[in-house]
Structure formats: structure tokens, C-alpha cells
Amino acid sequence: MNTTVSFDRVSDIYDATRGLPTGVSEQVTDTILNIVSATEETKFFETGIGTGRIAIPIAKRGYSYSGVDISEKMLAELHQKLEGVSHKLTAIKGDATSLPFADNSFDVALTVHVFHLVSAWKQALAEIRRVLKPGGIYLYTHGNMNYSKVSEDVNQGRFDFQQRWQDIIAGYGYPLPRYGATEEEVLAQLREQGANLETVVAAKWQSELTVGKLIDAHKNKIYRHTWHIPDDIFARAIQDLQEWSLQHYGSLDYDLSGESKFKIVVVTNWA
């Protein structure tokens, strides 16, 4: 069974909880346009366009932009933001594995934080390749932090917290479900298909976070790794998490802040 996770349930808070800071958004837009050497003729496409956090800043600069998303509520947020704005943006409800566009339609394709949510991600990737023009550029951003190890993107404090949450919910019989691909799997697939890959850091910024704020985000079910748990089990799991956090960190004010990066893998010689 093909599964694609819909963000209907958090559409109204998506931008507040996952949006890019204003200056960062501009940096990302500038970087994308520079990477693809955008002209008036450049046509952009995005699978998982969501509320348009990547699309709208590009469309506002006059570029042709098309996108699909499975969530009607996310698309409603996007269309609301475009009211009164002159643009060439088309966003429709659609399936990533069966795009409603002709072959060789677009110069640039993007996916941002999508393929960890799509079980048939190889088919979705094949569809992107199909609608890209020969020589077109694909910009891939995985965005789902890899919590399996401490790295430059995940500090020890965040790693410990995420691992503990996964252990708690697994202990109650609700392990974290895996829907789609890891970043490594997507990049391996692209390499197998002969693509050239280059990683560009479009922006860096400091993300302020405490243990208490992270617990609140879990309580409010902002993140998808809280959505599959029944309410009664969830309440107990949150209580366990809070008690462990106080013991482990000593305070809910413990600082988990760190540097965030918007990384783009530029895929060429693929389409």
C-alpha cells in the first residue's frame, strides 16, 4: 500500500512551526535563483508545495511556478497568502506518484522535506524526472533530521531527547513508523541513475530551543512522530518524557539551541 502523510492536521500552524525566518527565506530564494540561473522563461515545479514557503517568494519575483500537494488544507493556506498578489503560481491537489503534467514540462524541480513521508518515493522521483526537461535541474532537500547519530545538525541534547521519546513510545507498543526514504536512500538512487550531486548550504541561522519548549511541541502534536499514538497512551508517554527530562537535564530550561542549516542537493545531468 502506498502511503503519503498529509499535513492537514497542522496546516494552520505549519508556517509558525516550520517556516523559515524572514531573512533566511530571502537567502534561500536568492540561492535557488542563482543555482538555476533563472530567466523570465524558467519554469519551476514542486512536489509537496504545501503552504508555499519556498514557492511564494519565488513566484512573487515573477517566475512561473507549479506545484502539487496531497493536503487540501495546506493548499488553502497557500492560496490565502496569494490573495491580492500578482503571480504565475498554480498549486493543485495531486498525487506525487502520478503528476498531472506532460513530459518535459519544467526547467527546475524541487522537493523540500517530502520523501521521508512518501512510501512510493521511487515512483515520485521517477515522475519528477519525467516532467523535467532534458538538462533540467532538480533541487532536493531532505530536511528530516537524522537522529540516529550526533552530528553537526543534531547536538547531543536533541539526540538524547529524540532517542528517549522513541524508546518510550516503542515501550508502549507504538514505535515510530517509517513512511518513506532516508536521505541516503534518495541520494543513492540519484547516483545510480547517473546524476551529479552537489550540496549547497543556502542559509544558516541560530534556532533557540529549550527542553520545555520541545516537550510543549510534543504535547501539542506539532510533529508527525506524535500523530500515530492513541490519546490515553500519548498522555502517559508525555508524562514519562517530562519526568525523564527533569532527571536527565536537571531543568526544563535546559538549552538545546543550535545552528540550523538549509541544505540543497543540486542534481544535474539527470533529466
Side-chain angles (χ1 to χ4, degrees):
M1 183 182 73
N2 290 340
T3 303
T4 301
V5 179
S6 170
F7 275 63
D8 273 358
R9 65 183 296 154
V10 292
S11 60
D12 57 335
I13 58 166
Y14 185 86
D15 289 340
T17 56
R18 295 165 177 81
L20 299 170
T22 303
V24 170
S25 180
E26 289 298 308
Q27 280 181 268
V28 170
T29 300
D30 289 341
T31 301
I32 288 171
L33 296 177
N34 288 335
I35 287 171
V36 304
S37 302
T39 69
E40 290 181 8
E41 286 74 42
T42 302
K43 291 186 169 155
F44 291 84
F45 168 74
E46 185 177 357
T47 291
I49 194 170
T51 62
R53 62 178 182 159
I54 305 299
I56 289 175
I58 294 175
K60 280 183 175 177
R61 298 198 192 183
Y63 295 98
S64 169
Y65 206 112
S66 301
V68 299
D69 202 281
I70 199 171
S71 168
E72 288 183 3
K73 290 184 178 180
M74 294 281 276
L75 290 170
E77 294 283 332
L78 180 153
H79 288 125
Q80 188 174 12
K81 287 191 279 186
L82 285 172
E83 287 178 8
V85 176
S86 175
H87 65 87
K88 293 184 283 186
L89 190 155
T90 303
I92 57 176
K93 184 175 181 182
D95 184 343
T97 66
S98 181
L99 297 176
F101 300 103
D103 297 1
N104 311 326
S105 292
F106 302 102
D107 303 287
V108 180
L110 304 91
T111 51
V112 179
H113 308 182
V114 171
F115 282 144
H116 61 294
L117 305 171
V118 181
S119 62
W121 63 271
K122 287 186 180 179
Q123 178 59 28
L125 196 61
E127 278 291 273
I128 291 169
R129 195 178 189 187
R130 178 183 68 77
V131 302
L132 260 183
K133 293 178 183 176
I137 298 174
Y138 173 42
L139 304 179
Y140 165 74
T141 297
H142 198 80
N144 188 32
M145 283 186 180
N146 180 3
Y147 288 106
S148 63
K149 62 182 185 295
V150 178
S151 67
E152 61 178 17
D153 298 319
V154 180
N155 60 39
Q156 185 71 53
R158 282 293 300 271
F159 174 81
D160 290 348
F161 186 97
Q162 188 64 21
Q163 290 301 304
R164 187 61 186 178
W165 174 247
Q166 291 186 26
D167 290 346
I168 288 169
I169 60 178
Y172 281 109
Y174 292 91
L176 186 64
R178 178 174 165 189
Y179 301 103
T182 64
E183 183 173 20
E184 291 75 17
E185 287 171 335
V186 176
L187 299 183
Q189 179 80 353
L190 291 165
R191 288 192 189 98
E192 281 177 25
Q193 294 173 350
N196 291 342
L197 310 182
E198 179 191 355
T199 300
V200 174
V201 177
K204 298 178 184 178
W205 67 99
Q206 191 70 13
S207 294
E208 306 298 330
L209 186 67
T210 64
V211 171
K213 284 182 181 176
L214 196 51
I215 290 173
D216 285 344
H218 281 60
K219 279 182 185 174
N220 294 325
K221 297 193 174 184
I222 286 172
Y223 302 119
R224 66 176 180 86
H225 52 244
T226 60
W227 297 349
H228 66 293
I229 308 165
D231 288 346
D232 57 335
I233 301 292
F234 182 76
R236 286 152 60 190
I238 287 290
Q239 184 64 33
D240 291 349
L241 181 66
Q242 188 155 330
E243 289 172 3
W244 173 84
S245 295
L246 280 168
Q247 186 176 359
H248 183 75
Y249 299 104
S251 167
L252 297 186
D253 293 326
Y254 186 90
D255 189 14
L256 296 175
S257 300
E259 185 179 66
S260 294
K261 297 187 182 83
F262 193 98
K263 292 191 286 191
I264 301 171
V265 178
V266 183
V267 182
T268 53
N269 298 329
W270 179 55

